[in-house]
Amino acid sequence: MSQLVPQNNITDLIKSQMPAIALVMNGISEKDRKNKAERFARICLTAVRNNSKLMGCTQESFAAALMTCAQLNLEPNTPQGLAYLIPYGKECQFQIGYKGLLQLVYRSGIIASFNADVVYKNEIEQGLFEYRKGITPTITHKVDLLHPEAREGELIAAYAACTFKGGGEGMLRLVDKKDIERAQKTSASFTANKKYGKDSPWISSPEAMWMKTAIKRLVSWLPQTEMLAMAVDLDDKAERGESQLVLPELTPTEGLNAALTGNTPEAQPGNLITCPKTEAQVNDWTCSDCEQRTGCPAWAE
């Protein structure tokens, strides 16, 4: 049976995942990965302090969502809005923000430029927006700096577009109100808001959700990377209210599997050295807190 995460144990849980987090973090060295893992852990602790409902999530789901963020290198629950740890009952789920999707798209290495935006009814009525369909669809989206109120009111559409490195035709996807309504019908948070008044990003951040929907439509047409496919799949499950604990088989990494099983691996030995103080074989994990580390000749550049 799943074990609940007690409030007084949440710090230990996150710290226990540090070696696994470091394994999946990008970094030029073991020390660099450890520093990034420590920063990531601090951010996760802040997220828990800011949302007490995360305390009631199961250990397996919390660890899995945390490790997904680490694997994608997206810091959760920050002002940047890259990704989120969201409590759904007793399950903590990973959800990606539209800015996080943009980061993953750029990391794919095939995109030269990317843009996404929403379209308001006022902009269409004032001739500031035009969309033409076809084999190579085009958008003209003007901004009237003298009348910023045109960027307010009823949302009509959202779009995402990109150009590719090496040239060639760009790619564009637009979603209208009917597309958004279909997406909302399959959204667990939107349904819960309508039935029970629960919080939903569709209500609190509609512009972001419209853009995210357009970006995901565009992403489905792009060459898929492992990380991008995993992020979209998990986010779709969260939107539909499905459990994320049955993870896709795309990335059975050691760190992610360890988070789910609770068998966190030790950090792999890097450059083992002989400690001049104890004569023991140590690496960056075992001696980073040594008071004499700064002057240690074994770690001198």
Side-chain angles (χ1 to χ4, degrees), residues 13 16-17 59-60 63 254-265:
L13 171 65
S16 73
Q17 302 304 314
Q59 181 171 349
E60 293 87 349
E254 183 177 5
L256 192 54
N257 285 340
L260 293 175
T261 61
N263 298 321
T264 304

Side-chain angles (χ1 to χ4, degrees), residues 88 187-194 197-206 209 239:
Y88 285 100
S187 169
S189 69
F190 185 79
T191 301
N193 174 269
K194 293 302 180 183
K198 300 284 187 179
D199 293 336
S200 171
W202 285 105
I203 305 302
S204 60
S205 305
M209 291 302 293
E239 271 292 298

Side-chain angles (χ1 to χ4, degrees), residues 73-224:
N73 198 17
L74 298 175
E75 296 174 346
N77 299 44
T78 66
Q80 286 75 25
L82 301 176
Y84 302 92
L85 299 174
I86 306 291
Y88 285 100
K90 293 186 181 298
E91 181 174 336
C92 176
Q93 291 196 337
F94 159 84
Q95 279 195 277
I96 193 169
Y98 79 90
K99 293 180 182 178
L101 275 174
L102 290 180
Q103 278 208 12
L104 295 183
V105 169
Y106 273 116
R107 289 183 207 161
S108 69
I110 64 172
I111 302 300
S113 63
F114 198 103
N115 187 35
D117 206 346
V118 293
V119 183
Y120 293 88
K121 183 177 181 180
N122 290 333
E123 293 180 298
I124 297 175
E125 292 177 341
Q126 295 177 27
L128 299 175
F129 181 82
E130 182 178 318
Y131 171 58
R132 294 186 179 182
K133 298 182 68 174
I135 297 178
T136 55
T138 60
I139 278 180
T140 302
H141 196 176
K142 301 177 182 178
V143 177
D144 188 346
L145 297 177
L146 296 178
H147 298 88
E149 64 275 8
R151 294 281 297 167
E152 299 174 355
E154 182 182 354
L155 289 171
I156 296 297
Y159 62 89
C162 68
T163 59
F164 297 99
K165 291 181 179 179
E169 294 289 343
M171 190 173 289
L172 166 69
R173 289 293 177 269
L174 179 139
V175 292
D176 58 21
K177 292 189 72 172
K178 288 188 176 181
D179 294 320
I180 295 300
E181 288 171 358
R182 282 192 287 269
Q184 289 173 337
K185 285 182 180 179
T186 61
S187 169
S189 69
F190 185 79
T191 301
N193 174 269
K194 293 302 180 183
K195 288 185 176 181
Y196 312 112
K198 300 284 187 179
D199 293 336
S200 171
W202 285 105
I203 305 302
S204 60
S205 305
E207 292 87 356
M209 291 302 293
W210 281 56
M211 280 191 286
K212 180 178 172 180
T213 303
I215 293 170
K216 289 172 74 172
R217 294 289 179 87
L218 177 63
V219 164
S220 67
W221 286 76
L222 297 177
Q224 293 293 294

